[in-house]
Amino acid sequence: MATLGNYEYYKGIGDIKYEGKESDNPLAFKYYNPDQVVAGKTMREHFKFSVAYWHTFCGLGADPFGPGTQQFEWDKSSDPIQAAKDKADAAFEFITKMGFGYYCFHDFDLIREASTFSESESRLATITEYLKEKQAASGVKLLWGTANCFSNPRYMNGAATNPDFNVVARAGGQIKLALDTTVALGGENYVFWGGREGYMSLLNTDMGRELDHMGRFLTMCRDYARAQGFKGNFFIEPKPMEPSKHQYDFDTATAIGFLREYGLDNDFKINIEVNHATLAQHTFQHEMEVAAKAGMLGSLDANRGDYQNGWDTDQFPNNIQETTEAMLVFLKAGGLQGGGVNFDAKIRRNSTDLEDVFLAHIGGADTFARALLIADKIINSSPYETLRKARYSSFDSGKGLEFEKGNLKLEDLYNIAQENGELPLKSGKQELFENIINQYI
Ligand code: XLS
Ligand code: NI
Ligand code: NI
């Protein structure tokens, strides 16, 4: 297989273009028009769509009942360097044909991990040089890098929170290399998803000590990356469970509390994944709103869960209602801080045509684009914002305003309550709000 990048892996599929919603071409965008300006920015700038290396170029579709079904033409060579270069060629061909500007990876998505740490280091250095060339030739950039500190059996009891210091040190060594790789490739951000940072049973776990270790570990990672000149954001990606039963980064509120406790809140923001939100019994928009309030709405891992089961199915986004509500939060927050919309999503095990992964990304991008257009209209041309603000108008003047300014005491509230007597009920108008959203969809 060629390493010059001339070999075509996705044969017969050309560049994906915007054709508008009247188009019947399945291999065209219906809503995602990269250069269209919405709320002062192009769609390309709003979203910074990114392809996840692990799902799209590594994941073969295995499930607990059977092996993978994907027939990837790359990743076949027994020479790990050659296989990694072939995979990079396929990846850049796909990202370029999609017209997306970004990708994301785990260290050992890029190249197979070796049997020794030093050989892994040298493999990563080799593929980094190759990726630099691919990025320069295509203009595709790295949205974020991360380290896979959850697959290798050595991390079965955790990485930064492992009870064995030598495993913690090994994770540190691995993350140093992943940070070096990210910095070398001009990565705009760096993600920590604590796959095994949590526990299965409290009986064998010293939770306080493990959390202190995680705080110290992340501080070391930040200090090292800053010393290498890394200017981007660090992101925590919350997930409540799976693979651990209890994961320390349960949800956005928990992660923010953790970051503040360990003094990391200036450098870290949150990467919110739709399916992780729903696993935490939250909506996607709830998680976004919590992050936005803290000024930490960093990045999004776009996918969706399945309402009938309780695991991370990582399906491509297609829920327009959910995404519209999310885009309302997105626009009101002024967008993302440093991040983008990374499709952390995989096609189904029985989706085995070459074009399926294109259809999946087209659908995901169109869902976000359509939701953005709707949310923008709701904010600017519907009574939605006025109605929402009106619910709080009693805080805009008089005693309500004094309360917000901190000028009242509990005794003042007592006196106001005495004067007012019983109050008339005020409707929350939820059905009206829901109808407005539907009207604009
Ligand atoms: C898994 C996570 C993972 C992170 C990166 O559930 O979503 O893919 O995004 O480690
Ligand atoms: Ni993710
Ligand atoms: Ni996930």
Side-chain angles (χ1 to χ4, degrees):
M1 231 150 275
T3 55
L4 300 172
N6 297 330
Y7 185 84
E8 189 177 38
Y9 287 95
Y10 298 94
K11 289 181 196 67
I13 300 177
D15 291 347
I16 308 299
K17 297 259 168 16
Y18 169 73
E19 293 185 5
K21 66 177 180 174
E22 306 307 327
S23 168
D24 288 327
N25 178 3
L27 288 169
F29 295 115
K30 315 297 181 301
Y31 294 93
Y32 177 57
N33 184 4
D35 297 314
Q36 185 176 339
V37 175
V38 184
K41 277 189 217 170
T42 63
M43 288 190 177
R44 183 188 278 109
E45 292 164 336
H46 274 295
F47 294 131
K48 293 164 74 174
F49 282 133
S50 160
V51 177
Y53 224 83
W54 52 101
H55 284 308
T56 300
F57 313 112
C58 307
L60 297 174
D63 71 14
F65 300 93
T69 53
Q70 299 294 328
Q71 313 270 340
F72 289 156
E73 240 195 288
W74 56 91
D75 210 19
K76 290 240 186 313
S77 172
S78 58
D79 170 14
I81 305 283
Q82 187 61 51
K85 289 182 175 175
D86 292 341
K87 180 155 59 173
D89 289 346
F92 278 74
E93 180 191 332
F94 177 78
I95 301 164
T96 307
K97 284 182 170 176
M98 283 304 307
F100 289 168
Y102 289 90
Y103 70 115
C104 294
F105 59 70
H106 301 87
D107 43 5
F108 299 118
D109 300 335
L110 299 178
I111 194 157
R112 289 177 210 142
E113 186 172 10
S115 55
T116 67
F117 184 54
S118 61
E119 172 60 16
S120 294
E121 176 169 13
S122 110
R123 285 187 188 179
L124 276 173
T126 306
I127 196 63
T128 300
E129 286 312 306
Y130 192 70
L131 287 166
K132 266 190 205 166
E133 291 171 31
K134 301 294 296 183
Q135 289 186 188
S138 63
V140 170
K141 296 192 272 189
L142 176 59
L143 187 65
W144 48 259
T146 189
N148 180 335
C149 289
F150 45 87
S151 295
N152 191 298
R154 81 172 79 88
Y155 297 124
M156 68 182 183
N157 290 308
T161 61
N162 198 293
D164 178 352
F165 168 70
N166 287 316
V167 179
V168 175
R170 178 59 191 264
Q174 187 181 331
I175 291 178
K176 177 201 174 288
L177 299 182
L179 285 164
D180 290 342
T181 305
T182 301
V183 171
L185 293 171
E188 296 185 9
N189 308 277
Y190 187 87
V191 162
F192 293 90
W193 170 59
R196 307 259 173 207
E197 313 296 22
Y199 62 89
M200 304 304 283
S201 168
L202 196 55
L203 293 173
N204 66 1
T205 303
D206 185 335
M207 189 166 87
R209 218 167 166 185
E210 292 196 1
L211 282 166
D212 287 348
H213 293 171
M214 192 158 88
R216 181 165 308 279
F217 188 96
L218 293 178
T219 305
M220 293 163 82
C221 294
R222 178 206 54 197
D223 292 346
Y224 173 76
R226 290 290 182 238
Q228 308 311 304
F230 177 67
K231 300 260 187 300
N233 285 321
F234 301 92
F235 296 141
I236 296 276
E237 182 178 325
K239 184 176 183 180
M241 63 192 99
E242 201 203 18
S244 302
K245 182 173 184 215
H246 304 267
Q247 286 187 199
Y248 291 137
D249 303 320
F250 185 93
D251 63 0
T252 299
T254 309
I256 290 172
F258 170 88
L259 292 171
R260 288 182 176 154
E261 179 176 354
Y262 293 96
L264 294 164
D265 45 320
N266 286 329
D267 299 276
F268 282 71
K269 309 210 177 294
I270 310 293
N271 179 32
I272 295 166
E273 179 164 322
V274 188
N275 205 164
H276 297 183
T278 49
L279 286 175
Q281 308 277 306
H282 296 310
T283 60
F284 179 35
Q285 56 272 27
H286 166 88
E287 287 292 86
M288 289 175 68
E289 185 83 27
V290 173
K293 175 168 190 304
M296 292 193 194
L297 182 59
S299 204
L300 301 175
D301 265 10
N303 59 24
R304 79 176 199 275
D306 182 301
Y307 294 120
Q308 280 77 49
N309 66 24
W311 65 90
D312 200 8
T313 59
D314 285 345
Q315 287 160 260
F316 274 82
N318 81 346
N319 186 331
I320 196 69
Q321 187 96 32
E322 173 178 73
T323 317
T324 298
E325 293 191 31
M327 288 301 101
L328 285 172
V329 179
F330 177 97
L331 283 174
K332 283 185 282 173
L336 304 171
Q337 305 212 14
V341 176
N342 171 50
F343 290 107
D344 193 354
K346 58 188 177 202
I347 51 176
R348 300 301 86 190
R349 185 170 186 268
N350 54 345
S351 298
T352 48
D353 286 345
L354 204 58
E355 68 164 19
D356 290 335
V357 76
F358 284 88
L359 298 174
H361 283 86
I362 289 169
D366 273 343
T367 301
F368 270 80
R370 189 174 168 204
L372 184 79
L373 291 165
I374 296 165
D376 181 52
K377 274 206 197 105
I378 292 171
I379 290 172
N380 292 307
S381 356
S382 85
Y384 165 80
E385 276 291 14
T386 314
L387 285 170
R388 201 168 64 104
K389 284 211 182 81
R391 290 193 74 213
Y392 299 88
S393 59
S394 59
F395 291 94
D396 293 342
S397 60
K399 293 291 182 196
L401 186 60
E402 292 301 306
F403 168 86
E404 279 200 349
K405 285 182 171 164
N407 295 339
L408 298 188
K409 295 201 177 79
L410 193 61
E411 297 90 306
D412 297 318
L413 299 188
Y414 170 83
N415 291 331
I416 294 166
Q418 282 285 13
E419 269 168 44
N420 281 346
E422 265 328 304
L423 299 171
L425 298 180
K426 281 187 191 169
S427 172
K429 309 301 291 178
Q430 182 175 330
E431 295 77 6
L432 175 61
F433 282 87
E434 289 168 348
N435 290 354
I436 293 172
I437 305 296
N438 271 351
Q439 185 184 348
Y440 280 78
I441 286 175

